Amino acid sequence: MSNARAIHLSRRGMLAAGGALGLGAVLAACGDEDAKSGGSDADASKAAAAPAGPWTFKDDRGTTAKADKVPSSIVAFIGVAAALHDYGVEVKGVFGPTTTKDGKADVQAGDLDVTKVTVLGNEWGQFNIEKYAALAPDLLVTTMFDSAGTLWYVPEESKEKILAVGAPTVGISVFDIQLDQPLQRMLELAKTLGADTASAKVTAAKKAFEDAAARLRAATKAKPNIKVLVGSASQDIFYVSGSNLSVDLEYFKALGVNFVEPSADALKASGGWYENLSWENVDKYKADVIMMDNRTSAIQPGDITEATWKQLPAVKAGQVIARNPEPILSYDKCVPLLTSLAEAIENAKKVS
């Protein structure tokens, strides 16, 4: 998509749609309470003990963010905040889907304690500039879902006022690349912010990620004919994603996953992300496994009442799994994405 408005043209579409935006168990190798909290006291102290000298980081726009000292009043998109938290780097403020209607942490918050951060906006277009300025931010970090370097969830209409506050910005690209690349970039950013990226916890998480990738590759090699459809549900539309552009799907495809692919013409209207189907035509594509958007912006499989959905062979076989089109970019959080898909393919019956 060429800009934020185009990207958002349906958050429950492009992002929500599976292929739209590039997405289990907690990492066993880090299965202690420190892993659940996203960082040990030692990790936190090392982050706090980050060098006090000049700080720089060249982001994926090619822009070098600079500060006189390592940033300590960080504001980030919720998924980025969750990833940094896993590395022991804490933020002061967040924006993007942080809490659900019942006040619980959104799936994109990961292990972040959302009661301990200032929420600047919980929905698309929301960003409280007054609260942002009050935090005296020295860094703003988010992802980017296009080649133009649009900062995700930073409203275009108020972007200039937000930038005028003066904090340097960092954008991590999650557009048309494979998942392992932004994972590495987030790790590099965390290191500059004081994270101990050589810790036992991080090392174990990276090893678990590599092992999970190997498991998925083996599963697809053993069952190359298992077709996987990536979808997202809204009230009137069922979105079927293509496997290009999204970081998770491009990576899974490289590991051998046999995705259902809408035609280029069908994807054209969304810039290559997804195809819109009416619920009457939800059976257009044959699939053995269906990955469904698990974010709160999408209707969840258990809540879909459409008879056409219930009659899909993969649905009747119970071969539907969750997918987060906006993966939390820490190795710990990406392990379950690989593991759940590998397990689904290993156990899948050919029903298409």
Side-chain angles (χ1 to χ4, degrees):
M1 314 295 272
S2 60
N3 54 52
R5 295 180 189 278
I7 288 178
H8 177 247
L9 76 95
S10 170
R11 211 164 32 111
R12 195 177 283 149
M14 181 189 72
L15 283 187
L21 293 185
L23 180 108
V26 179
L27 178 59
C30 307
D32 56 15
E33 288 303 314
D34 284 340
K36 291 180 182 178
S37 67
S40 66
D41 291 339
D43 289 335
S45 65
K46 287 177 181 177
W55 173 88
T56 64
F57 183 81
K58 187 174 183 179
D59 75 358
D60 293 337
R61 298 170 296 181
T63 300
T64 299
K66 300 178 180 179
D68 293 336
K69 61 179 181 179
V70 175
S72 59
S73 183
I74 304 168
V75 171
F77 174 70
I78 184 62
V80 171
L84 291 176
H85 172 79
D86 284 355
Y87 293 126
V89 177
E90 303 302 341
V91 307
K92 295 285 185 67
V94 298
F95 53 96
T98 303
T99 58
T100 58
K101 291 181 179 179
D102 59 4
K104 296 181 179 179
D106 189 275
V107 64
Q108 295 190 65
D111 293 331
L112 185 68
D113 185 343
V114 298
T115 68
K116 294 183 178 180
V117 293
T118 298
V119 181
L120 305 178
N122 200 54
E123 298 178 5
W124 181 266
Q126 294 181 349
F127 194 110
N128 190 307
I129 300 174
E130 290 73 21
K131 286 185 177 180
Y132 177 60
L135 292 173
D138 49 16
L139 180 63
L140 184 152
V141 191
T142 186
T143 48
M144 302 182 298
F145 283 98
D146 62 20
S147 59
T150 304
L151 297 175
W152 187 237
Y153 261 82
V154 174
E156 284 295 307
E157 60 271 20
S158 56
K159 182 177 70 174
E160 293 307 316
K161 291 182 179 180
I162 293 169
L163 296 180
V165 172
T169 62
V170 164
I172 301 296
S173 178
V174 287
F175 174 73
D176 199 17
I177 53 178
Q178 294 181 24
L179 179 61
D180 54 337
Q181 297 177 62
L183 273 174
Q184 180 60 34
R185 291 292 284 150
M186 190 63 70
L187 186 69
E188 292 169 358
L189 174 62
K191 183 176 181 179
T192 72
L193 296 172
D196 180 8
T197 57
S199 68
K201 178 190 173 189
V202 174
T203 300
K206 290 182 70 175
K207 177 61 165 58
F209 179 84
E210 293 165 357
D211 290 346
R215 178 180 175 182
L216 179 56
R217 187 187 297 278
T220 62
K221 185 175 182 180
K223 290 188 172 182
N225 295 324
I226 294 297
K227 295 182 179 180
V228 179
L229 181 145
V230 182
S232 182
S234 69
Q235 183 174 351
D236 300 315
I237 299 173
F238 183 79
Y239 303 91
V240 177
S241 297
S243 63
N244 294 325
L245 305 184
S246 301
V247 290
D248 59 334
L249 303 186
E250 287 201 12
Y251 187 62
F252 298 158
K253 181 168 61 175
L255 294 174
V257 176
N258 182 7
F259 284 114
V260 169
E261 299 281 4
S263 68
D265 285 342
L267 296 170
K268 188 175 181 180
S270 69
W273 293 99
Y274 58 89
E275 177 182 2
N276 295 352
L277 294 179
S278 66
W279 284 104
E280 289 77 11
N281 296 316
V282 74
D283 60 352
K284 177 178 179 178
Y285 298 107
K286 308 301 180 184
D288 304 297
V289 173
I290 300 177
M291 299 177 70
M292 290 293 289
D293 186 347
N294 72 346
R295 293 168 308 157
T296 52
S297 58
I299 298 175
Q300 297 306 300
D303 297 323
I304 299 175
T305 59
E306 301 290 341
T308 48
W309 162 262
K310 294 181 179 180
Q311 291 303 310
L312 293 178
V315 175
K316 293 173 70 175
Q319 297 177 173
V320 178
I321 63 172
R323 176 225 175 192
N324 186 347
E326 298 181 69
I328 294 172
L329 297 173
S330 74
Y331 289 100
D332 179 78
K333 293 300 179 293
C334 287
V335 170
L337 309 182
L338 291 160
T339 302
S340 64
L341 181 54
E343 183 176 6
I345 292 173
E346 290 166 352
N347 297 329
K349 297 177 182 178
K350 185 66 178 174
V351 295
S352 65

